[in-house]
C-alpha cells in the first residue's frame, strides 16, 4: 500500500473512531466490552476497518479493544497501530516452549493477557468476543445475553466434528457438554476469567495431539489442526460447565434438576391441552420450551440387542402424539456364485446376527445362467439374485466388480423395500457391533462412509474429467450408510460412472487412480465417489467404524467392522483370503481355517502391537466360529460332506490374459481393492502351487482342513497307480518263478535221451519262454 493511501485510511478511521467514542459515551453503556484478536499484518488492517465501520453503524454499546499481537520484527515496520483502540499482547506465533508455529493461539493468549493487565477488565460485566473477519449487523446487548452467569451465547460451528467423536473423549472428561461453537462469543466476565486459561491450555493440548489432526477427527479440511484454538474453546468450556467435582454428586444434581424440569414441562403441556391461559413469559419457561432442554432430556438409546427386539414395528402414543421411533434399516452386500464368496457370506451373516444390527440383511447374488444351475449356495443367506454383468452385455468388458452398483440398481428396481436407511457392506467383512444412522449422524442428503484414502483420483484431473463437481468428491467406500431416497438417486449414476471409468483406459495409470495394478480395477469405487459428487452428496467420513486386521487400533475406539481385505499376521501364523479362493469351506463338513495363536502367548510389551494382534485373532476366530455354526446347522457328520466336489471345476494356473498384460479378473479377484502400495509375490500370483505350499506349511496345519477337490483327485489317482504297480510286480514275480521251476524239471527229464548241441539253441529257448 502506498504511503498516501495509508495516511488516507488512518484519517478516515480516525474520524470513525471519534464518532464511535462519542456514541459510546452518550449511551453510557460501559458495562459491555468487545474484544477482537488481530496481528500486525495488512490483511488484518482492512478487516479491522470493515469491522469498526459496521460496529459503529450498528450502534453496538460499549468500547472495543483490538488485541494486537506483533513480533518485535513486525512492530518495527508496522503502520497500523492507531487503526483502533488496542492492547499490545506478546506474540505466541512461535510457542515459547514447544517451538510450534501456530498464530491462531494468539486469540486465547491475548484474552488471558487482557484479563491480567487491562484496566478495562476491572470495569466490565459482559464480554463480546469477535473474529476480525466478522461484521456486526445489529447490536449485541444485555437483553439478548441475559443476566445469568454460567450462560454464554455463541455462533454455531457445525464443522467441529471432534465434539462428536473420540477427539472430545481424549481432551475433556465431559465430552457430552462439548458445543460446536465459535465466531461470536458473549459471556459474563467471571465466566471468561474461569474459561480463558483453560481455553489456552486446551489449545496447546490439541496442537500437540498430532495423531488426531486428520480431517476425519477434526473436520479441518487442511488436516493441519488450524482450528485447534476453536477446539480449545469448546473443550475448555465443557470443563467449566462442570457443577460439582465429585462425579456422583454431580450426577445427583443433574438428575434432581432434570426431575423438576420434567414435571414442570409435563404440567405446561397438560394445561395447554386443556385450554388454560398461557402463563406469563419468563426465562425459565422459555428454557423449558427450548431446543437445549429438548436435547438434555432426549431419551437414552436402548442397548443394541433390546433395540433389535423392539424394532420400530409399533409406535406408542401419549396424549394423541406419536412417540419418537427409529428409522428402519436394511443391510446389503454383493457376491458372486462361487465357494470363495460363500465362506465370506457365512462369516458376514453370522456376525450380523451377533452384532445387534437392526433390520434385515440381503445378499445381492450375481450368477450367469450356467453357474446358477450348478450353484449349491442359494440357501446360505437371504438372497436377491440378479443376472451377471461380469462380461458387459454391450462393450464385452470383463469386470466382475461392476456387480456392486448393478446389484444395487436391480435390487432397488425389483425388491419391496420398506427401510429408510441402507447400510452397504463388502462380503469380506465381520461385524462387531451395530451401525445405525442415528449413531453415525446420517441424514437425508448426508450419507456416512469410511475413508478410502488411496482414491487419489478425487484430487487430480480424473475427478475433473468425470464429474462436474470435483470439489464434492469424497474418498470413501467400504461401509456406506445412506438414506433410501439418496440411494435411489445415486444408484444408476453409480453404475453409469463405473462404466465410464472402465472405458477411460487412458487414465488407468497408478499415478492417476492409485490402482497398483493399473487395470481399472477400482473403477467401481470411483463410480460411487464421482456419482455422489455429481449429486453433491457430501459424506460424513467416520474412520472409527472400520479397521483392517493387522493395523494398530486407535486407543479407546470400538470398531464396528473388520475388513480382512489385506493379509495379516500374528507371529508365524498368517491369513490371506486370496489363498482360499479355490477351497470349498462351506460344502465340506467341519472345514475351517488354521487356528490363530492363543492370545496368552502374545508379547504385551508393546501395547499397540498387542491390541493389533488381539483384533487379528478375534477376526480369525469369528470366521471359524461362523463356519462351525453353519456346519452344525446342516447336521454335518464326521465322515460325509454336504455335497461332493465338482470334478469339472477348473483350477486357474495363469493369471494373465492372452490379449493384454493386465491381471485377468476371471482368475484373480482384485488385489483386495483396499491394498497398500506393497504387494507380495504370493498375493499377486495366487497360483495353485502357492496355495499348496501354504497348506503344507507346518505353522498352518489343521487336522480339520480339507484340501481342494483337485488335490483329492490327485491323491486318489496316486493310490490306484501304486496298487496297480504292486499287483503287476507280484504277478510278474510269480510268473517268473513258475517258468524257472518248469524249465529245470524239463531238463532233468530229457537229460539222458539227448544233448543240448549249442548255445544258439539255448538262447532261442530262453527267448521263446519270455516272448
Amino acid at each position: 500500500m502506498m504511503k498516501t493511501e495509508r495516511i488516507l485510511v488512518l484519517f478516515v478511521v480516525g474520524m470513525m473512531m471519534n464518532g464511535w467514542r462519542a456514541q459510546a459515551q452518550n449511551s453510557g453503556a460501559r458495562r459491555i466490552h468487545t474484544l477482537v484478536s488481530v496481528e500486525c499484518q495488512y490483511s488484518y488492517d482492512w478487516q479491522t476497518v470493515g469491522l469498526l465501520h459496521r460496529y459503529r453503524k450498528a450502534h453496538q454499546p460499549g468500547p472495543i479493544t483490538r488485541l494486537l499481537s506483533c513480533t518485535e520484527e513486525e512492530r518495527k515496520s508496522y503502520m497500523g497501530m492507531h487503526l483502533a483502540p488496542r492492547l499490545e499482547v506478546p506474540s505466541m506465533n512461535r510457542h515459547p516452549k514447544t517451538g510450534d508455529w501456530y498464530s491462531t493461539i494468539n486469540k486465547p493468549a491475548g484474552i488471558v493477557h487482557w484479563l491480567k493487565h487491562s484496566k478495562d477488565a476491572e470495569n466490565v460485566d459482559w464480554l463480546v468476543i469477535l473474529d476480525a473477519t466478522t461484521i456486526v449487523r445489529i447490536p449485541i446487548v444485555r437483553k439478548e445475553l441475559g443476566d445469568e452467569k454460567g450462560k454464554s451465547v455463541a455462533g454455531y460451528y457445525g464443522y467441529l466434528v471432534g465434539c462428536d467423536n473420540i477427539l472430545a473423549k481424549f481432551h475433556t472428561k465431559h465430552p457430552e457438554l462439548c458445543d460446536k461453537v465459535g465466531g461470536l462469543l458473549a459471556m459474563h466476565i467471571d465466566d471468561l476469567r474461569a474459561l480463558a486459561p483453560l481455553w489456552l491450555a486446551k489449545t496447546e493440548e490439541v496442537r500437540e495431539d498430532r495423531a488426531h489432526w486428520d480431517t476425519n477427527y477434526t473436520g479441518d479440511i487442511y488436516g493441519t489442526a488450524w482450528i485447534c484454538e476453536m477446539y480449545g474453546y469448546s473443550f475448555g468450556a465443557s470443563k467449566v460447565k462442570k457443577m460439582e467435582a465429585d462425579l456422583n454428586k454431580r450426577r445427583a444434581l443433574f438428575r434432581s434438576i432434570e426431575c423438576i424440569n420434567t414435571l414442570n414441562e409435563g404440567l405446561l403441556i397438560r394445561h395447554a391441552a386443556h385450554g388454560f391461559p398461557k402463563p406469563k413469559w419468563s426465562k425459565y419457561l422459555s428454557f423449558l420450551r427450548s431446543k437445549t432442554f429438548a436435547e438434555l432430556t432426549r431419551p437414552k438409546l436402548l442397548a443394541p440387542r433390546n433395540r433389535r427386539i423392539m424394532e420400530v414395528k409399533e409406535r406408542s402414543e401419549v396424549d394423541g402424539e406419536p412417540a419418537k421411533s427409529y428409522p428402519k434399516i436394511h443391510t446389503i452386500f454383493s457376491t458372486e456364485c462361487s465357494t470363495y464368496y460363500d465362506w465370506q457370506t457365512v462369516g458376514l451373516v453370522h456376525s450380523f446376527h451377533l452384532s445387534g444390527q437392526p433390520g434385515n440383511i440381503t445378499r445381492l447374488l450375481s450368477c450367469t445362467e450356467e453357474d446358477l444351475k450348478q450353484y449349491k449356495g442359494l440357501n446360505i443367506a437371504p438372497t436377491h439374485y440378479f443376472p451377471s454383468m461380469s462380461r458387459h452385455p454391450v462393450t464385452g468388458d470383463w469386470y466382475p466388480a461392476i456387480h456392486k452398483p448393478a446389484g444395487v440398481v436391480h435390487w432397488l428396481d425389483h425388491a419391496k423395500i420398506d427401510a429408510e436407511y441402507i447400510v452397504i457392506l463388502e462380503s469380506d467383512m465381520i461385524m462387531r457391533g451395530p451401525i445405525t444412522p442415528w449413531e453415525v449422524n446420517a441424514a437425508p442428503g448426508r450419507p456416512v462412509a469410511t475413508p478410502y484414502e488411496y482414491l487419489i483420483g478425487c484430487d487430480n484431473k480424473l475427478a475433473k474429467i468425470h464429474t462436474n463437481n470435483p470439489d464434492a468428491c469424497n474418498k470413501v467406500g467400504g461401509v456406506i450408510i445412506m438414506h433410501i431416497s439418496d440411494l435411489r438417486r445415486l444408484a444408476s449414476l453409480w453404475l453409469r460412472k463405473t462404466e465410464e471409468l472402465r472405458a477411460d483406459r487412458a487414465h488407468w495409470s497408478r499415478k492417476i487412480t492409485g490402482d497398483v495394478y493399473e487395470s481399472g480395477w477400482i473403477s467401481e469405487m470411483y463410480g460411487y465417489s464421482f456419482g455422489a459428487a455429481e449429486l453433491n452428496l457430501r459424506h460424513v467420513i467416520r474412520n472409527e467404524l472400520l479397521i483392517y486386521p493387522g493395523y494398530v487400533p486407535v486407543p479407546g475406539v470400538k470398531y464396528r467392522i473388520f475388513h480382512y481385505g489385506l493379509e495379516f499376521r500374528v507371529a508365524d501364523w498368517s491369513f490371506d483370503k486370496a489363498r482360499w479362493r479355490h477351497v470349498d469351506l462351506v460344502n465340506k463338513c467341519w472345514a475351517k481355517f488354521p487356528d490363530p495363536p492363543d492370545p496368552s502367548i502374545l508379547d504385551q510389551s508393546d501395547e499397540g502391537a498387542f491390541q493389533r494382534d488381539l483384533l487379528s485373532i478375534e477376526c480369525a476366530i469369528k470366521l471359524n466360529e461362523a463356519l462351525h455354526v453353519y456346519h452344525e446347522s446342516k447336521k454335518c457328520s464326521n465322515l460325509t460332506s454336504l455335497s461332493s466336489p465338482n470334478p469339472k471345476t477348473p483350477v486357474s494356473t495363469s493369471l494373465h490374459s492372452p490379449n493384454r498384460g493386465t491381471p485377468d479378473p476371471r482368475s484373480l479377484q482384485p488385489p483386495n481393492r483396499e491394498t497398500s502400495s506393497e504387494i507380495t509375490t504370493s498375493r499377486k500370483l495366487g497360483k495353485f502351487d502357492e496355495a499348496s505350499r501354504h497348506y503344507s506349511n507346518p505353522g498352518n496345519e489343521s487336522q480339520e482342513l480339507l484340501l481342494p477337490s483337485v488335490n483329492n483327485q490327485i491323491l486318489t489317482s496316486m493310490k490306484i497307480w501304486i496298487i496297480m504297480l504292486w499287483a503287476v510286480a507280484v504277478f510278474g514275480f510269480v510268473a517268473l518263478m513258475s517258468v524257472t521251476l518248469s524249465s529245470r524239471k524239463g531238463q532233468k527229464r530229457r537229460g539222458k535221451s539227448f544233448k543240448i548241441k549249442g548255445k544258439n539253441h539255448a538262447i532261442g529257448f530262453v527267448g521263446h519262454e519270455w516272448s
Side-chain angles (χ1 to χ4, degrees), residues 326-365:
Y326 292 106
K328 289 187 177 182
I329 306 170
H330 201 114
T331 303
I332 60 175
F333 65 102
S334 175
T335 71
E336 300 172 43
C337 287
S338 73
T339 56
Y340 176 61
Y341 283 103
D342 286 355
W343 63 256
Q344 295 177 30
T345 297
V346 168
L348 175 56
V349 173
H350 174 72
S351 66
F352 170 88
H353 291 303
L354 292 180
S355 69
Q357 176 73 357
N360 299 317
I361 188 169
T362 296
R363 173 182 59 159
L364 308 181
L365 179 65

Side-chain angles (χ1 to χ4, degrees), residues 645-696:
N646 180 8
K648 296 181 180 180
T649 302
V651 178
S652 173
T653 57
S654 175
L655 301 182
H656 297 285
S657 168
N659 298 322
R660 61 180 185 271
T662 57
D664 183 354
R666 287 168 290 186
S667 56
L668 175 67
Q669 188 70 4
N672 304 310
R673 301 191 296 167
E674 310 77 35
T675 188
S676 59
S677 59
E678 296 181 2
I679 306 293
T680 61
T681 303
S682 62
R683 293 188 56 120
K684 197 170 184 179
L685 296 180
K687 296 182 181 179
F688 179 74
D689 57 348
E690 287 288 320
S692 299
R693 284 195 290 273
H694 173 69
Y695 302 138
S696 61

Side-chain angles (χ1 to χ4, degrees), residues 62-307:
I64 187 171
T65 297
R66 187 171 57 143
L67 304 179
L68 183 62
S69 169
C70 297
T71 64
E72 293 183 5
E73 191 63 29
E74 288 173 337
R75 198 179 189 286
K76 293 176 183 178
S77 58
Y78 183 60
M79 300 177 63
M81 288 291 181
H82 304 290
L83 286 176
R86 72 183 186 279
L87 175 69
E88 293 184 50
V89 299
S91 173
M92 280 188 63
N93 286 354
R94 180 74 67 187
H95 197 282
K97 293 183 179 179
T98 66
D100 176 42
W101 179 270
Y102 181 56
S103 60
T104 311
I105 202 173
N106 288 319
K107 187 174 183 179
I111 291 172
V112 169
H113 187 86
W114 181 83
L115 289 170
K116 289 183 178 179
H117 301 285
S118 173
K119 292 182 179 179
D120 291 331
E122 301 173 2
N123 187 36
V124 66
D125 295 319
W126 298 92
L127 269 299
V128 176
I129 303 171
L130 301 176
D131 285 336
T133 54
T134 54
I135 293 294
V136 180
R137 298 181 66 244
I138 58 175
I140 304 168
V141 295
R142 285 179 61 187
K143 182 179 179 181
E144 296 180 0
L145 297 177
D147 292 307
E148 301 176 36
K149 296 180 183 179
K151 213 174 149 185
S152 60
V153 175
Y156 178 63
Y157 274 3
Y159 55 84
L160 296 181
V161 298
C163 276
D164 301 326
N165 59 40
I166 58 175
L167 191 68
K169 296 177 183 178
F170 283 157
H171 294 287
T172 175
K173 294 180 180 179
H174 312 282
E176 72 281 1
L177 300 178
C178 183
D179 295 323
K180 296 186 280 190
V181 295
L184 163 67
L185 303 171
M187 67 187 70
H188 194 274
I189 184 69
D190 293 343
D191 295 328
L192 185 61
R193 291 188 187 280
L195 172 61
L198 284 171
W199 183 357
L200 177 58
K202 289 294 181 182
T203 300
E204 294 171 319
E205 184 180 308
V206 179
R207 278 296 292 181
E208 293 175 7
D209 185 9
R210 291 178 175 268
H212 296 98
W213 279 13
D214 186 82
T215 303
N216 298 326
Y217 291 110
T218 65
D220 179 2
I221 59 174
Y222 298 102
T224 58
W226 195 253
I227 56 178
C228 287
E229 167 269 317
M230 301 180 190
Y231 281 115
Y233 176 85
S234 294
F235 294 161
S238 67
K239 188 171 183 178
V240 170
K241 285 184 179 181
K242 185 175 58 173
M243 295 171 54
E244 171 61 49
D246 183 86
L247 178 62
N248 292 325
K249 290 182 180 179
R250 185 168 67 251
R251 284 175 177 168
L253 287 172
F254 277 122
R255 296 297 177 268
S256 299
I257 294 172
E258 181 180 345
C259 178
I260 297 300
N261 288 340
T262 302
L263 289 172
N264 284 333
E265 182 189 36
L267 289 170
L268 285 173
I269 295 173
R270 182 72 178 177
H271 294 162
H274 287 75
F276 283 65
K278 291 184 178 180
K280 184 179 179 181
W281 181 90
S282 69
K283 294 178 184 176
Y284 177 67
L285 291 179
S286 178
F287 168 72
L288 290 181
R289 297 187 178 111
S290 68
K291 183 178 179 181
T292 300
F293 180 71
E295 288 294 322
L296 289 173
T297 56
R298 184 173 57 185
K300 303 298 185 291
L301 297 180
L302 291 170
R305 291 184 181 275
N306 293 334
R307 185 167 60 244

Side-chain angles (χ1 to χ4, degrees), residues 367-493:
C367 289
T368 63
E369 291 184 7
E370 191 63 31
D371 287 339
L372 192 60
K373 293 176 183 177
Q374 304 177 18
Y375 182 59
K376 295 180 173 64
L378 285 174
N379 297 322
I380 62 175
T383 299
H384 174 84
Y385 163 76
F386 66 98
S388 172
M389 277 187 64
S390 292
R391 178 74 67 189
H392 197 281
V394 177
T395 66
D397 177 41
W398 179 269
Y399 182 56
I402 202 172
H403 289 144
K404 190 170 182 180
V408 172
V409 170
H410 196 276
W411 180 67
L412 291 172
D413 288 344
H414 294 84
K416 184 178 179 181
I417 306 166
D418 65 348
E420 295 180 53
Y421 283 89
I422 309 300
V423 177
I424 305 175
L425 302 178
E426 302 277 6
S427 61
D428 55 346
M429 290 181 172
I430 293 293
M431 297 190 70
R432 304 178 71 235
I435 301 173
T436 58
W438 52 86
E439 289 179 306
V440 298
N441 205 26
R446 189 178 65 207
V448 175
T450 49
Y452 272 2
E453 291 298 331
Y454 54 85
L455 296 179
I456 59 176
C458 274
D459 301 327
N460 59 39
K461 62 183 180 181
L462 194 68
K464 296 176 182 178
I465 294 172
H466 292 286
T467 175
N468 294 320
N469 194 16
D471 292 340
C473 184
N474 296 138
K475 295 184 283 187
V476 294
V479 179
I480 298 168
I481 305 99
M482 180 175 289
H483 194 271
I484 186 70
S485 61
D486 295 327
L487 187 59
R488 290 190 185 278
R489 289 193 301 144
L490 173 61
S492 59
L493 193 56

